[in-house]
Amino acid sequence: MNDELQALRAEADSALAACADPRALEALRVGLLGRSGRLTLLLRDLGKTAPEARRERGAALNRLRDELAARIEARGAELEAAALAARLAAERVDVTLPPRPRENGTIHPISRTMEEMAAIFGAMGFAVAEGPDVEDDWRNFGALNIPEHHSARQDMDTFYLPGEREGRRRVLRTHTSPVQIRTMLASPPPIRVIAPGRTYRADHDATHSPMFHQCEGLAIDRDLTLGHLKGCLIDFLRAFFAAPALPVRFRASYFPFTEPSMEVDIGWNRRTGEIGRGGDWLEILGSGMVHPRVLANCGLDPREWQGFAFGMGVERVTMLKHGINDLRPFYESDLRWLRHYGFSPFAPPMLHEGV
Ligand code: DAH
Protein backbone atom coordinates (compact mmCIF):
# COMPACT_ATOMS: atom_id res chain seq x y z
CA MET A 1 0.00 0.00 0.00
CA ASN A 2 1.48 3.35 -0.97
CA ASP A 3 1.70 6.43 1.17
CA GLU A 4 -1.39 7.97 -0.32
CA LEU A 5 -3.53 5.01 0.67
CA GLN A 6 -1.85 4.76 4.08
CA ALA A 7 -2.73 8.40 4.70
CA LEU A 8 -6.32 7.85 3.60
CA ARG A 9 -6.63 4.88 5.90
CA ALA A 10 -5.16 6.78 8.87
CA GLU A 11 -7.53 9.66 8.20
CA ALA A 12 -10.48 7.27 7.97
CA ASP A 13 -9.31 5.66 11.21
CA SER A 14 -9.39 8.81 13.27
CA ALA A 15 -12.64 9.94 11.62
CA LEU A 16 -14.18 6.60 12.57
CA ALA A 17 -13.05 6.91 16.15
CA ALA A 18 -14.48 10.44 16.32
CA CYS A 19 -17.87 9.31 14.98
CA ALA A 20 -20.26 9.64 17.89
CA ASP A 21 -23.59 8.90 16.27
CA PRO A 22 -25.07 6.99 13.33
CA ARG A 23 -25.60 10.15 11.29
CA ALA A 24 -21.94 11.16 11.43
CA LEU A 25 -20.99 7.59 10.58
CA GLU A 26 -23.26 7.58 7.55
CA ALA A 27 -21.74 10.89 6.38
CA LEU A 28 -18.30 9.34 6.73
CA ARG A 29 -19.34 6.27 4.76
CA VAL A 30 -20.78 8.37 1.94
CA GLY A 31 -17.60 10.51 1.90
CA LEU A 32 -15.43 7.42 1.44
CA LEU A 33 -17.47 4.76 -0.28
CA GLY A 34 -20.43 6.63 -1.73
CA ARG A 35 -20.90 7.23 -5.43
CA SER A 36 -18.45 10.11 -5.40
CA GLY A 37 -16.64 8.98 -2.26
CA ARG A 38 -12.91 9.36 -2.19
CA LEU A 39 -12.17 5.65 -2.47
CA THR A 40 -14.77 5.21 -5.18
CA LEU A 41 -13.15 7.97 -7.21
CA LEU A 42 -9.74 6.40 -6.76
CA LEU A 43 -11.12 3.09 -8.04
CA ARG A 44 -12.71 4.86 -10.98
CA ASP A 45 -9.38 6.49 -11.83
CA LEU A 46 -7.68 3.12 -11.88
CA GLY A 47 -7.78 3.27 -15.67
CA LYS A 48 -5.39 6.23 -15.61
CA THR A 49 -2.80 4.21 -13.76
CA ALA A 50 0.09 2.81 -15.71
CA PRO A 51 -0.83 -0.74 -16.80
CA GLU A 52 2.07 -2.41 -14.98
CA ALA A 53 1.04 -0.85 -11.63
CA ARG A 54 -2.70 -1.20 -12.17
CA ARG A 55 -3.15 -4.72 -10.91
CA GLU A 56 -1.35 -4.13 -7.65
CA ARG A 57 -3.04 -0.79 -7.03
CA GLY A 58 -6.45 -2.24 -7.86
CA ALA A 59 -5.94 -5.03 -5.35
CA ALA A 60 -4.79 -2.56 -2.69
CA LEU A 61 -7.75 -0.26 -3.32
CA ASN A 62 -10.21 -3.13 -3.14
CA ARG A 63 -8.72 -4.39 0.10
CA LEU A 64 -8.87 -0.93 1.61
CA ARG A 65 -12.48 -0.54 0.46
CA ASP A 66 -13.51 -3.88 1.98
CA GLU A 67 -11.61 -3.10 5.16
CA LEU A 68 -13.20 0.31 5.54
CA ALA A 69 -16.68 -1.02 4.77
CA ALA A 70 -16.26 -3.69 7.44
CA ARG A 71 -15.00 -1.21 10.02
CA ILE A 72 -17.77 1.24 9.30
CA GLU A 73 -20.26 -1.53 9.82
CA ALA A 74 -18.58 -2.62 13.05
CA ARG A 75 -18.51 0.97 14.30
CA GLY A 76 -22.21 1.24 13.49
CA ALA A 77 -22.96 -1.82 15.60
CA GLU A 78 -20.85 -0.36 18.40
CA LEU A 79 -22.73 2.95 18.33
CA GLU A 80 -26.06 1.15 18.32
CA ALA A 81 -25.07 -0.96 21.33
CA ALA A 82 -23.86 2.13 23.18
CA ALA A 83 -27.14 3.94 22.46
CA LEU A 84 -29.15 0.98 23.76
CA ALA A 85 -27.01 0.74 26.89
CA ALA A 86 -27.46 4.46 27.54
CA ARG A 87 -31.22 4.15 27.15
CA LEU A 88 -31.39 1.15 29.45
CA ALA A 89 -29.39 3.00 32.07
CA ALA A 90 -31.58 6.08 31.80
CA GLU A 91 -34.79 4.10 32.05
CA ARG A 92 -33.63 1.79 34.74
CA VAL A 93 -36.18 0.92 37.44
CA ASP A 94 -35.13 -0.87 40.57
CA VAL A 95 -38.11 -3.07 41.25
CA THR A 96 -36.54 -4.28 44.47
CA LEU A 97 -36.72 -0.82 46.12
CA PRO A 98 -39.11 -0.74 49.06
CA PRO A 99 -42.13 1.55 48.52
CA ARG A 100 -41.29 5.10 49.40
CA PRO A 101 -43.31 6.31 52.38
CA ARG A 102 -45.81 8.79 51.02
CA GLU A 103 -47.90 11.11 53.07
CA ASN A 104 -51.52 10.11 52.86
CA GLY A 105 -54.48 11.90 54.28
CA THR A 106 -56.60 10.14 56.85
CA ILE A 107 -60.32 9.53 57.14
CA HIS A 108 -61.78 11.74 59.86
CA PRO A 109 -63.11 9.74 62.83
CA ILE A 110 -66.60 11.19 62.25
CA SER A 111 -66.60 9.97 58.66
CA ARG A 112 -65.23 6.64 59.80
CA THR A 113 -68.03 6.20 62.34
CA MET A 114 -70.67 7.03 59.74
CA GLU A 115 -69.07 4.52 57.35
CA GLU A 116 -69.11 1.90 60.09
CA MET A 117 -72.79 2.63 60.77
CA ALA A 118 -73.55 2.25 57.08
CA ALA A 119 -71.64 -1.07 57.03
CA ILE A 120 -73.37 -2.53 60.07
CA PHE A 121 -76.89 -1.37 59.23
CA GLY A 122 -76.22 -2.11 55.57
CA ALA A 123 -75.73 -5.76 56.47
CA MET A 124 -79.19 -5.65 58.10
CA GLY A 125 -80.75 -4.32 54.90
CA PHE A 126 -80.72 -0.58 55.63
CA ALA A 127 -79.84 1.86 52.83
CA VAL A 128 -78.30 5.30 53.39
CA ALA A 129 -80.68 8.24 52.88
CA GLU A 130 -79.80 11.92 52.76
CA GLY A 131 -81.50 15.25 53.26
CA PRO A 132 -80.39 18.88 53.05
CA ASP A 133 -78.82 20.76 55.96
CA VAL A 134 -81.20 23.66 55.28
CA GLU A 135 -84.66 22.35 56.10
CA ASP A 136 -88.05 23.93 56.57
CA ASP A 137 -89.75 24.02 59.93
CA TRP A 138 -92.50 21.68 58.78
CA ARG A 139 -90.11 18.80 58.00
CA ASN A 140 -87.85 19.60 60.96
CA PHE A 141 -90.72 20.02 63.50
CA GLY A 142 -94.33 20.02 62.31
CA ALA A 143 -94.43 16.75 60.40
CA LEU A 144 -92.59 15.12 63.29
CA ASN A 145 -95.48 15.98 65.58
CA ILE A 146 -93.63 18.80 67.32
CA PRO A 147 -96.35 21.48 67.57
CA GLU A 148 -95.82 25.19 67.01
CA HIS A 149 -95.33 26.18 70.62
CA HIS A 150 -93.82 22.95 71.86
CA SER A 151 -90.81 23.36 74.11
CA ALA A 152 -88.75 21.15 71.80
CA ARG A 153 -88.61 23.99 69.29
CA GLN A 154 -86.95 26.16 71.92
CA ASP A 155 -84.97 23.33 73.53
CA MET A 156 -83.26 22.64 70.28
CA ASP A 157 -81.86 26.17 70.00
CA THR A 158 -82.75 26.40 66.37
CA PHE A 159 -80.84 28.48 63.84
CA TYR A 160 -83.47 30.17 61.70
CA LEU A 161 -82.53 31.46 58.27
CA PRO A 162 -84.04 34.51 56.56
CA GLY A 163 -86.62 33.91 53.87
CA GLU A 164 -89.11 31.12 53.40
CA ARG A 165 -89.51 27.97 51.35
CA GLU A 166 -92.99 27.01 50.21
CA GLY A 167 -94.38 29.37 52.84
CA ARG A 168 -92.40 27.65 55.60
CA ARG A 169 -89.63 29.05 57.76
CA ARG A 170 -86.16 27.94 56.80
CA VAL A 171 -84.03 26.34 59.52
CA LEU A 172 -80.72 24.57 59.79
CA ARG A 173 -81.95 21.11 60.68
CA THR A 174 -81.65 20.54 64.42
CA HIS A 175 -81.65 16.76 64.01
CA THR A 176 -81.58 14.16 61.22
CA SER A 177 -85.22 13.22 61.89
CA PRO A 178 -86.57 15.32 58.94
CA VAL A 179 -84.93 12.71 56.67
CA GLN A 180 -87.58 10.31 58.03
CA ILE A 181 -90.24 12.62 56.59
CA ARG A 182 -88.43 13.01 53.27
CA THR A 183 -87.97 9.25 52.93
CA MET A 184 -91.60 8.41 53.68
CA LEU A 185 -92.81 11.10 51.27
CA ALA A 186 -90.44 9.98 48.54
CA SER A 187 -91.15 6.29 48.30
CA PRO A 188 -93.69 3.78 49.55
CA PRO A 189 -92.88 1.27 52.31
CA PRO A 190 -91.30 -1.07 53.16
CA ILE A 191 -88.55 1.32 54.23
CA ARG A 192 -85.23 0.63 55.88
CA VAL A 193 -82.86 3.59 55.93
CA ILE A 194 -80.27 5.25 58.06
CA ALA A 195 -79.51 8.94 57.56
CA PRO A 196 -76.14 10.08 58.85
CA GLY A 197 -75.34 13.77 58.50
CA ARG A 198 -74.75 17.23 59.89
CA THR A 199 -77.08 18.89 62.38
CA TYR A 200 -77.07 22.36 63.98
CA ARG A 201 -78.00 23.90 67.31
CA ALA A 202 -77.07 27.26 68.83
CA ASP A 203 -74.98 25.71 71.54
CA HIS A 204 -71.24 25.98 72.11
CA ASP A 205 -69.08 24.72 74.95
CA ALA A 206 -66.62 21.91 75.73
CA THR A 207 -69.25 19.24 75.08
CA HIS A 208 -71.44 21.01 72.49
CA SER A 209 -70.66 22.31 69.04
CA PRO A 210 -73.10 24.42 66.97
CA MET A 211 -72.53 21.87 64.17
CA PHE A 212 -72.48 18.19 65.01
CA HIS A 213 -73.56 14.89 63.48
CA GLN A 214 -76.37 12.47 64.02
CA CYS A 215 -77.41 9.21 62.50
CA GLU A 216 -81.12 8.62 62.08
CA GLY A 217 -82.72 5.25 61.47
CA LEU A 218 -86.16 4.40 60.12
CA ALA A 219 -87.85 1.10 59.39
CA ILE A 220 -91.45 0.96 58.16
CA ASP A 221 -93.31 -2.23 57.33
CA ARG A 222 -96.62 -3.97 58.06
CA ASP A 223 -95.66 -5.88 61.15
CA LEU A 224 -92.63 -4.33 62.80
CA THR A 225 -92.61 -4.40 66.59
CA LEU A 226 -90.64 -3.10 69.52
CA GLY A 227 -88.84 -6.45 69.41
CA HIS A 228 -87.40 -5.62 65.98
CA LEU A 229 -86.28 -2.23 67.25
CA LYS A 230 -84.54 -3.78 70.23
CA GLY A 231 -82.91 -6.52 68.17
CA CYS A 232 -81.56 -4.10 65.59
CA LEU A 233 -80.15 -1.68 68.12
CA ILE A 234 -78.61 -4.36 70.35
CA ASP A 235 -76.95 -5.97 67.32
CA PHE A 236 -75.74 -2.61 66.08
CA LEU A 237 -74.28 -1.48 69.41
CA ARG A 238 -72.50 -4.79 69.99
CA ALA A 239 -71.01 -4.73 66.49
CA PHE A 240 -70.06 -1.06 66.66
CA PHE A 241 -68.32 -1.31 70.02
CA ALA A 242 -66.92 -4.75 69.12
CA ALA A 243 -68.32 -6.07 72.40
CA PRO A 244 -70.47 -9.17 71.83
CA ALA A 245 -71.76 -9.18 75.41
CA LEU A 246 -72.30 -5.41 75.70
CA PRO A 247 -75.12 -4.76 78.21
CA VAL A 248 -77.90 -2.70 76.58
CA ARG A 249 -80.81 -1.19 78.50
CA PHE A 250 -84.02 0.29 77.13
CA ARG A 251 -85.59 2.99 79.28
CA ALA A 252 -89.04 4.52 78.78
CA SER A 253 -88.80 8.11 77.62
CA TYR A 254 -90.60 10.70 75.55
CA PHE A 255 -90.18 12.03 72.04
CA PRO A 256 -93.03 13.72 70.15
CA PHE A 257 -92.42 11.59 67.04
CA THR A 258 -92.45 8.15 68.68
CA GLU A 259 -94.92 6.26 70.85
CA PRO A 260 -93.78 4.50 72.91
CA SER A 261 -90.38 6.12 73.16
CA MET A 262 -87.22 4.70 74.67
CA GLU A 263 -83.79 5.88 75.52
CA VAL A 264 -81.05 3.33 75.10
CA ASP A 265 -78.17 2.95 77.56
CA ILE A 266 -75.04 0.83 77.34
CA GLY A 267 -73.04 -0.58 80.22
CA TRP A 268 -69.72 1.05 80.98
CA ASN A 269 -67.34 2.02 83.72
CA ARG A 270 -67.78 5.69 84.52
CA ARG A 271 -64.35 5.89 86.15
CA THR A 272 -62.18 4.20 83.51
CA GLY A 273 -64.37 4.85 80.47
CA GLU A 274 -64.27 1.15 79.64
CA ILE A 275 -67.26 0.07 77.60
CA GLY A 276 -69.19 -3.11 78.38
CA ARG A 277 -68.10 -3.55 81.98
CA GLY A 278 -68.31 -1.63 85.22
CA GLY A 279 -71.94 -1.47 86.27
CA ASP A 280 -72.67 2.11 85.16
CA TRP A 281 -75.12 3.09 82.44
CA LEU A 282 -74.56 5.61 79.71
CA GLU A 283 -77.29 7.03 77.51
CA ILE A 284 -76.44 6.54 73.85
CA LEU A 285 -79.50 7.18 71.72
CA GLY A 286 -83.21 7.86 71.45
CA SER A 287 -85.69 5.57 69.76
CA GLY A 288 -89.29 4.41 69.59
CA MET A 289 -92.17 3.22 67.47
CA VAL A 290 -93.01 5.83 64.84
CA HIS A 291 -95.96 7.92 66.07
CA PRO A 292 -99.17 7.27 64.09
CA ARG A 293 -99.51 11.00 63.48
CA VAL A 294 -96.07 11.11 61.84
CA LEU A 295 -97.08 8.25 59.54
CA ALA A 296 -100.32 10.05 58.70
CA ASN A 297 -98.43 13.32 58.05
CA CYS A 298 -96.49 11.40 55.38
CA GLY A 299 -99.61 9.92 53.81
CA LEU A 300 -99.23 6.46 55.34
CA ASP A 301 -102.20 4.75 56.97
CA PRO A 302 -101.14 3.92 60.54
CA ARG A 303 -103.54 0.96 60.57
CA GLU A 304 -101.58 -0.57 57.71
CA TRP A 305 -98.01 0.57 58.38
CA GLN A 306 -95.90 0.83 61.45
CA GLY A 307 -92.26 0.87 62.29
CA PHE A 308 -89.48 2.16 64.45
CA ALA A 309 -87.03 5.03 64.44
CA PHE A 310 -83.91 5.97 66.28
CA GLY A 311 -81.39 8.78 66.40
CA MET A 312 -77.91 8.95 67.87
CA GLY A 313 -75.06 11.39 68.16
CA VAL A 314 -72.12 10.45 65.96
CA GLU A 315 -69.51 12.41 67.93
CA ARG A 316 -70.64 10.85 71.17
CA VAL A 317 -70.26 7.24 70.09
CA THR A 318 -66.99 8.07 68.31
CA MET A 319 -65.55 9.59 71.49
CA LEU A 320 -66.65 6.60 73.52
CA LYS A 321 -65.30 4.05 71.08
CA HIS A 322 -61.90 5.66 70.68
CA GLY A 323 -61.40 7.17 74.12
CA ILE A 324 -61.48 10.76 72.87
CA ASN A 325 -62.54 13.02 75.73
CA ASP A 326 -62.69 16.47 74.12
CA LEU A 327 -65.18 17.42 71.42
CA ARG A 328 -63.39 20.52 70.16
CA PRO A 329 -60.47 18.96 68.25
CA PHE A 330 -62.97 17.20 65.98
CA TYR A 331 -63.40 20.51 64.14
CA GLU A 332 -60.01 22.16 64.54
CA SER A 333 -58.26 20.40 61.64
CA ASP A 334 -55.07 19.98 63.66
CA LEU A 335 -53.00 17.63 61.50
CA ARG A 336 -51.36 16.00 64.52
CA TRP A 337 -54.77 15.08 65.92
CA LEU A 338 -56.07 13.96 62.53
CA ARG A 339 -53.03 11.74 61.94
CA HIS A 340 -53.39 10.23 65.38
CA TYR A 341 -57.14 9.60 65.38
CA GLY A 342 -57.70 9.36 61.61
CA PHE A 343 -58.12 6.13 59.65
CA SER A 344 -56.37 4.79 56.59
CA PRO A 345 -58.30 5.51 53.41
CA PHE A 346 -57.14 2.13 52.13
CA ALA A 347 -58.80 0.13 54.89
CA PRO A 348 -62.52 0.93 54.89
CA PRO A 349 -64.75 -0.75 57.46
CA MET A 350 -65.34 -4.41 56.60
CA LEU A 351 -68.02 -6.19 58.49
CA HIS A 352 -66.41 -9.62 58.26
CA GLU A 353 -63.40 -8.23 60.15
CA GLY A 354 -65.56 -6.47 62.72
CA VAL A 355 -65.69 -2.73 62.08
N1 DAH B 1 -84.23 13.53 66.99
C1 DAH B 1 -83.88 13.22 68.36
C2 DAH B 1 -82.87 14.24 68.86
O1 DAH B 1 -82.28 14.94 68.12
C3 DAH B 1 -83.26 11.87 68.44
C4 DAH B 1 -84.27 10.78 68.17
C5 DAH B 1 -84.99 10.22 69.19
C6 DAH B 1 -84.48 10.36 66.88
C7 DAH B 1 -85.91 9.23 68.98
C8 DAH B 1 -85.45 9.36 66.65
C9 DAH B 1 -86.15 8.81 67.71
O2 DAH B 1 -85.70 8.90 65.43
O3 DAH B 1 -87.04 7.82 67.47
O4 DAH B 1 -82.69 14.35 70.04
Side-chain angles (χ1 to χ4, degrees), residues 156 174-177 180 201 212 214 216-217 255 257-258 262 285-289 308-312:
M156 286 191 177
T174 57
H175 50 178
T176 43
S177 302
Q180 288 189 34
R201 292 180 199 178
F212 58 104
Q214 286 191 341
E216 197 76 12
F255 299 102
F257 30 89
T258 45
M262 299 183 299
L285 56 87
S287 66
M289 300 305 290
F308 61 84
F310 55 87
M312 70 185 119

Side-chain angles (χ1 to χ4, degrees), residues 7 62 104 112 115 122 186 218 261 292 301 341 343-344:
N62 277 326
N104 289 313
R112 171 72 185 199
E115 285 173 10
L218 176 70
S261 303
D301 183 348
Y341 287 109
F343 291 83
S344 163

Side-chain angles (χ1 to χ4, degrees), residues 205-226:
D205 58 39
T207 54
H208 294 88
S209 151
M211 189 282 302
F212 58 104
H213 298 75
Q214 286 191 341
C215 182
E216 197 76 12
L218 176 70
I220 305 287
D221 214 325
R222 289 180 202 280
D223 48 15
L224 289 177
T225 70
L226 206 66

Side-chain angles (χ1 to χ4, degrees), residues 33-46:
L33 310 173
R35 199 179 307 170
S36 36
R38 287 166 67 188
L39 207 61
T40 313
L41 294 181
L42 289 179
L43 276 160
R44 199 177 293 161
D45 288 348
L46 204 53

